[in-house]
Amino acid sequence: MCKTMIYVVSVILVLAIGSSTQAGISEWEAAISGANPINWYKFNETGTDCIDSGSEGLNGTYDGVSLAQEGLFGAGTAVGFERTGANRANFTGATDMPGPWTVEYIVKTTKPPAANDSQALHDGDATSIRLAGWSALGEAGFTLYGVADYQFTPEGELTLNDLVIQPDVWMHLVWRNDGSGTQLFFDGQLVATSTDSVDLPRLRIGGRGAGPADHLNGVLDEAVVFDRALSDADIISHAGAADLVIVKAHGPEPADGSFHEDTWANLTWSPGYGAASHDVYLGDNFADVNEGVESTFQGNQAATLVTVGFPGFAFPDGLVPGTTYYWRIDEVEADGTTKHEGDVWSFGIPPKTAYLPDPTDGADSIDLNSNLNWTGGFGVKLHYVYFGDNFDDVNNATGGLPQSDTTYAPGPLQLAKTYYWRIDEFDAVTTYKGSVWSFITQGAVGSPEPANGDVDVPQTPTLTWVPGVFADTHEVYFGADAASMELKGSGNLGS
């Protein structure tokens, strides 16, 4: 575990939460249900009862919270705590749970950290689990009232500052009592340990018995209690199910969907968290790679690099221009059986013919002074340009003059006209005939142009129409849009 990994996951998490999508609740609920929790609070109620979906059925009542808040899993899936009045969920008569135990939360604090300003998650008369502890930094911790506010020891190169939970970021937080101490996990990662431990309080969630001292300031989407110490793999799996840790391979190079201009390649990726090895699939057929058919399996390996297109490697005769290649990395955890199937990525070797025309094939409303641009074919040296307003002439043309640039200026074009163009490519040995592309200049029927209103129409346009059968007079309205239409004339106008 290194500090860099924590920061990377945090950045990715912020970007994910900033998007319009929500984490998949079905994956989360399947993972939690399969782990058999003793208490499971989903916080999606609209009434005052806080329902336990776990095996114990320890229901409670809400007191002063904000129901039906926006959560990680969407609208109405969370409860808000605002440090006003009682502001908690009460579970009258609930007993503290001795270790071993595990408690996990999907939570977002809305309060910047501050010294000696704690925030309780689970709380009781004797102990407290703290999103923010009573300390100079306000990092996550736990408390035995009247005895100690326990601080964790950060793992590896992490510091206490790395255990301070920042506002407005959804996180998967886990405290685990394994019988010999307590461990703290952020988004599936072990970040700190302590040789101390406490019984898990269950009298309240979100605040103390008198308040609002130590109350949570934020939003809770889930709180789950287990009467055992979950394994590291279980905790990683739960965080992954909530889309709050990357357990799949990611960051492919070449980038997904890109062109790679060579007949060999080194394929690299960033490993998913917890991956000990990688199953590699590679082929030129999407369905085969997606289904993991035997012919695409390149083996299991520890390295995050695969060479292709060389003798002794996949595609030993070299990668073929004009071909799209597909690859997938399945991450395998240390137990050798837990796997996380990867996405199918692709990269293409450019064709020998020209590609990526600009204007794009079939484009309309093209400016009359536009240049033609394209991407040269794989390994080509010279380009032959054919241009005109007749498809057959352009398609059958030969004997063009070569040029080294991948741009061509056809000169001023005519209004509302279809043009055709073709690029033949020469690689010092062979000439490769290109496809015929076309575009329509501005001003054509059905086109909203002239473009940008900056092209002079060479004549004053005449508006005509077919009159209605019973029409005696006509009213003409004209404008740039429906809101600005003005009456320009009425009466017995000529059509």
Side-chain angles (χ1 to χ4, degrees):
M1 171 58 58
C2 67
K3 186 183 298 186
T4 301
M5 177 63 78
I6 298 293
Y7 291 155
V8 168
V9 172
S10 297
V11 169
I12 293 171
L13 176 59
V14 170
L15 292 176
I17 298 305
S19 71
S20 59
T21 59
Q22 301 288 344
I25 193 170
S26 59
E27 291 82 358
W28 164 261
E29 293 200 338
I32 297 303
S33 179
N36 299 313
I38 187 172
N39 305 130
W40 181 7
Y41 302 105
K42 301 181 180 181
F43 303 120
N44 56 6
E45 301 89 354
T46 56
T48 59
D49 291 334
C50 181
I51 304 301
D52 181 6
S53 298
S55 61
E56 188 179 29
L58 180 61
N59 299 328
T61 56
Y62 292 117
D63 189 356
V65 303
S66 298
L67 299 171
Q69 299 298 295
E70 182 81 15
L72 176 69
F73 295 124
T77 65
V79 167
F81 298 82
E82 300 171 357
R83 307 188 94 172
T84 57
N87 212 230
R88 58 185 175 248
N90 296 308
F91 302 88
T92 303
T95 58
D96 295 346
M97 181 185 295
W101 51 258
T102 306
V103 60
E104 55 186 293
Y105 310 91
I106 293 179
V107 61
K108 176 178 68 175
T109 178
T110 53
K111 182 184 181 301
N116 303 322
D117 187 10
S118 60
Q119 297 188 57
L121 291 166
H122 267 88
D123 194 89
D125 293 335
T127 61
S128 183
I129 302 298
R130 298 284 180 83
L131 179 148
W134 187 266
S135 66
L137 295 176
E139 74 277 11
F142 57 104
T143 295
L144 181 60
Y145 286 124
V147 177
D149 292 304
Y150 296 112
Q151 288 184 295
F152 283 102
T153 299
E155 285 284 287
E157 297 180 2
L158 299 177
T159 69
L160 286 175
N161 281 306
D162 297 309
L163 307 186
V164 177
I165 298 172
Q166 300 302 314
D168 302 318
V169 176
W170 283 107
M171 296 189 70
H172 177 256
L173 305 182
V174 175
W175 280 253
R176 181 181 68 188
N177 178 332
D178 65 359
S180 60
T182 309
Q183 299 86 44
L184 178 66
F185 294 77
F186 286 0
D187 295 335
Q189 303 172 66
L190 176 65
V191 295
T193 61
S194 172
T195 56
D196 297 301
S197 59
V198 297
D199 291 349
L200 177 66
R202 298 192 296 162
L203 272 177
R204 292 173 286 273
I205 293 177
R208 295 184 65 177
D214 298 333
H215 281 7
L216 175 65
N217 198 160
V219 187
L220 264 172
D221 200 320
E222 302 275 326
V224 191
V225 175
F226 298 90
D227 57 356
R228 66 187 189 280
L230 294 184
S231 67
D232 288 7
D234 286 336
I235 294 170
I236 293 171
S237 175
H238 293 179
D243 287 340
L244 294 182
V245 65
I246 302 177
V247 295
K248 296 197 300 185
H250 54 282
E253 289 291 340
D256 186 29
S258 66
F259 282 106
H260 179 71
E261 297 187 9
D262 214 327
T263 58
W264 71 278
N266 281 328
L267 311 182
T268 65
W269 64 94
S270 296
Y273 184 76
S277 63
H278 320 277
D279 286 345
V280 179
Y281 298 86
L282 174 67
D284 57 9
N285 181 283
F286 171 84
D288 288 348
V289 174
N290 187 54
E291 295 167 9
V293 300
E294 185 177 356
S295 61
T296 67
F297 182 58
Q298 305 298 319
N300 176 268
Q301 62 181 61
T304 57
L305 181 148
V306 174
T307 298
V308 295
F310 266 128
F313 298 91
F315 299 100
D317 296 330
L319 304 176
V320 179
T323 302
T324 299
Y325 294 91
Y326 303 91
W327 56 303
R328 190 184 97 202
I329 306 298
D330 290 356
E331 300 293 60
V332 184
E333 294 185 11
D335 61 11
T337 59
T338 302
K339 297 184 180 183
H340 304 281
E341 182 175 316
D343 300 318
V344 177
W345 300 316
S346 70
F347 65 93
I349 309 303
K352 287 286 189 177
T353 54
Y355 63 103
L356 295 181
D358 178 22
T360 58
D361 188 27
D364 60 15
S365 303
I366 300 303
D367 187 274
L368 302 184
N369 296 301
S370 293
N371 289 337
L372 310 181
N373 301 278
W374 64 94
T375 300
F378 181 83
V380 303
K381 307 300 182 183
L382 296 172
H383 320 277
Y384 296 85
V385 181
Y386 300 96
F387 180 80
D389 59 7
N390 180 280
F391 173 87
D392 291 333
D393 290 346
V394 173
N395 187 49
N396 298 325
T398 59
L401 295 176
Q403 65 176 62
S404 58
D405 294 337
T406 56
T407 187
Y408 175 75
L413 304 173
Q414 296 182 37
L415 195 69
K417 194 172 186 67
T418 300
Y419 290 95
Y420 302 91
W421 58 302
R422 185 186 106 214
I423 308 297
D424 288 357
E425 302 286 67
F426 180 65
D427 66 358
V429 176
T430 305
T431 298
Y432 301 90
K433 181 180 179 180
S435 301
V436 177
W437 300 315
S438 69
F439 62 87
I440 304 173
T441 55
Q442 59 196 18
V445 175
S447 169
E449 306 297 338
N452 304 321
D454 58 1
V455 178
D456 293 331
V457 179
Q459 62 181 17
T460 302
T462 300
L463 308 180
T464 64
W465 65 92
V466 177
V469 176
F470 301 107
D472 294 320
T473 61
H474 318 277
E475 291 183 350
V476 178
Y477 295 83
F478 185 82
D481 53 48
S484 62
M485 297 276 275
E486 296 179 2
L487 178 64
K488 297 299 182 181
S490 64
N492 188 16
L493 303 173
S495 60

